[in-house]
């Protein structure tokens, strides 16, 4: 998120000073025309500090390189509420703490700023030491393009919990459904290139969700073919047998209790052993080799589709 945020702020007329503890990233920022400095120098010279490191790496950076140099009147602005919500970062009482959390990926933050479309976001104030924290948060959100499609006020805890819930309840269900469907169809003799194209490579599902993001899920269904409407509505209830609600309740409880946050902290401290193992297992599945073959089949000579 760091690069698109810095570019958007600069293009909106904000003076931006970039820091990174990775020399190659500092070099990239300098090549893009940004003034750069060490983390300590930025903390000592800037009034508004945007902490955009990865969630798991941020607590140590904050403790060692940010916290000792904070002064009264500064504002800490996060793009993810994770560390504040789960207690990994505790700001001193004399600084403002705010949140501007884009509900999209970093690349889209930049692209939608340039097109003028903007993007939806969550905003919050966790601590208002100055009495004007909301003015700072909303000004930054405006400069980022985060108000063009509307911003929703939430608590820090809610942003973190909603974000993790999407990642741990909705996306796993989506992956599981697509993988199960693909395997079933190929076992029934459908060619892999047709299966993967129909399920997601064509972009039809993405187009459906894009339409839903503009007009709502029910209105999107209404403009589908009558066959699609009837098929979706008449078969909807049979999926209640999956007990999805109970599985999602368990997932939400793991998030809210902090159990996942502690699990992820241990995983980071050990250099991601389980993540690497799970990724290797998934990559070895024959299905993904077929997926890549389908992508090669669909790709034109210019690398596009």
């Amino acid at each position: 998120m760091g690069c698109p945020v810095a570019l958007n702020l600069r293009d909106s007329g904000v003076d931006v000073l970039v820091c990174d503890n990775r020399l190659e990233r500092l070099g990239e920022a300098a090549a893009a025309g940004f003034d750069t400095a060490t983390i300590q120098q930025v903390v000592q010279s800037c009034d508004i500090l945007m902490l955009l490191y990865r969630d798991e790496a941020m607590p140590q950076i904050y403790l060692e390189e940010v916290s000792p140099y904070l002064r009264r009147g500064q504002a800490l602005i996060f793009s993810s509420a994770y560390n504040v919500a789960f207690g990994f970062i505790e700001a001193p009482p004399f600084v403002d703490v705010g949140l501007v959390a884009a509900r999209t990926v970093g690349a889209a933050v930049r692209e939608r700023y340039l097109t003028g479309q903007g993007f939806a976001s969550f905003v919050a104030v966790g601590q208002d030491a100055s009495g004007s924290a909301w003015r700072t948060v909303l000004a930054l959100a405006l400069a980022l393009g985060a108000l063009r499609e509307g911003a929703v006020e939430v608590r820090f805890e809610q942003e973190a919990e909603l974000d993790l819930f999407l990642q741990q309840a909705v996306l796993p269900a989506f992956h599981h459904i697509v993988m199960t469907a693909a395997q079933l169809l190929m076992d029934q003799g459908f060619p892999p290139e047709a299966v993967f194209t129909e399920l997601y490579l064509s972009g039809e599902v993405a187009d459906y969700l894009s339409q839903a993001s503009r007009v709502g899920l029910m209105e999107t269904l209404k403009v589908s073919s009558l066959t699609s409407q009837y098929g979706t509505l008449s078969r909807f209830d049979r999926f209640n047998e999956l007990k999805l609600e109970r599985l999602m309740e368990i997932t939400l409880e793991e998030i809210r209790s902090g159990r996942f946050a502690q699990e992820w902290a241990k995983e980071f401290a050990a250099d991601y052993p389980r993540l690497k193992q799970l990724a290797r297992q998934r990559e070895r599945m024959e299905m993904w080799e077929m997926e890549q073959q389908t992508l090669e089949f669909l790709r034109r000579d210019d690398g596009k589709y």
Side-chain angles (χ1 to χ4, degrees):
M1 195 65 71
C3 180
V5 164
L7 290 169
N8 288 7
L9 289 177
R10 184 176 66 180
D11 287 355
S12 293
V14 178
D15 291 331
V16 179
L17 183 60
V18 174
C19 62
D20 200 303
N21 52 9
R22 297 163 295 183
L23 292 179
E24 68 276 11
R25 297 304 300 274
L26 272 184
E28 292 172 4
F34 287 100
D35 292 330
T36 63
T38 66
I39 298 176
Q40 178 181 338
Q41 289 170 336
V42 167
V43 175
Q44 290 176 326
S45 60
C46 291
D47 297 318
I48 300 172
L49 307 171
M50 297 195 72
L51 286 71
L52 302 172
Y53 284 94
R54 290 179 291 115
D55 285 332
E56 65 270 23
M58 196 184 299
Q60 183 175 357
I61 294 171
Y62 173 81
L63 182 64
E64 296 176 355
E65 302 183 66
V66 177
S67 179
Y69 309 105
L70 291 174
R71 52 182 166 77
R72 187 175 302 278
Q74 286 179 305
L76 294 176
I77 307 296
F78 295 85
S79 65
S80 163
Y82 183 92
N83 283 299
V84 175
F86 294 110
F88 294 109
I89 289 179
E90 295 185 11
F94 53 81
V95 299
D96 291 343
V97 179
L99 174 75
V100 181
R103 311 325 293 164
T104 187
V105 297
V109 166
R110 181 58 177 166
E111 291 169 5
R112 294 180 187 177
Y113 176 92
L114 292 173
T115 62
Q117 177 184 354
F119 48 90
S121 61
F122 288 159
V123 291
V125 167
Q127 183 169 284
D128 189 2
S130 68
S132 58
W134 268 115
R135 293 180 62 187
T136 300
V137 167
L138 293 177
L140 276 177
L142 180 65
L144 285 169
L147 299 183
R148 294 176 184 171
E149 285 204 350
V152 178
E153 180 185 351
V154 296
R155 300 194 309 273
F156 264 71
E157 294 79 8
Q158 291 174 327
E159 191 279 338
E161 291 166 2
L162 285 170
D163 194 37
L164 293 176
F165 185 79
L166 174 65
Q167 298 166 8
Q168 297 175 33
V170 179
L171 293 183
F174 172 77
H175 277 257
H176 186 77
I177 288 171
V178 169
M179 290 173 63
T180 301
Q183 192 62 60
L184 171 68
L185 291 169
M186 288 188 290
D187 288 345
Q188 292 296 317
F190 291 89
E193 58 270 22
V195 169
F196 290 115
T197 297
E198 179 62 24
L199 290 178
Y200 59 93
L201 291 184
S202 67
E204 182 178 0
V205 173
D207 292 338
Y208 189 92
L209 293 176
S210 178
Q211 175 81 356
S213 73
R214 294 191 296 271
V215 301
L217 202 56
M218 193 61 206
E219 289 301 316
T220 300
L221 180 61
K222 288 180 180 179
V223 298
S224 301
S225 69
L226 292 180
T227 307
S228 176
Q229 292 182 47
Y230 179 75
T232 299
L233 295 173
S234 64
R235 269 59 176 173
F236 181 84
D237 286 342
R238 67 175 51 173
F239 289 92
N240 290 338
E241 299 302 318
L242 296 177
K243 297 182 174 56
L244 281 176
E245 183 176 358
R246 181 56 188 148
L247 292 173
M248 289 184 174
E249 286 176 351
I250 293 171
T251 300
L252 184 57
E253 173 56 29
E254 288 177 343
I255 293 169
R256 284 183 158 173
S257 67
R259 289 200 298 273
F260 173 78
Q262 294 300 324
E263 177 184 334
W264 182 234
K266 292 177 182 177
E267 180 75 6
F268 168 64
D271 194 28
Y272 312 108
R274 189 179 181 205
L275 175 60
K276 293 175 181 177
Q277 179 187 13
L278 291 170
R280 284 195 299 268
Q281 290 174 350
R282 188 59 57 87
E283 289 168 355
R284 293 190 187 112
M285 293 177 65
E286 183 181 5
M287 181 180 298
W288 305 125
E289 182 177 343
M290 294 179 181
E291 178 197 58
Q292 290 303 308
Q293 291 173 353
T294 302
L295 285 168
E296 290 298 324
F297 174 78
L298 295 173
R299 187 175 291 122
R300 302 199 303 258
D301 290 339
D302 60 3
K304 298 179 180 178
Y305 295 90

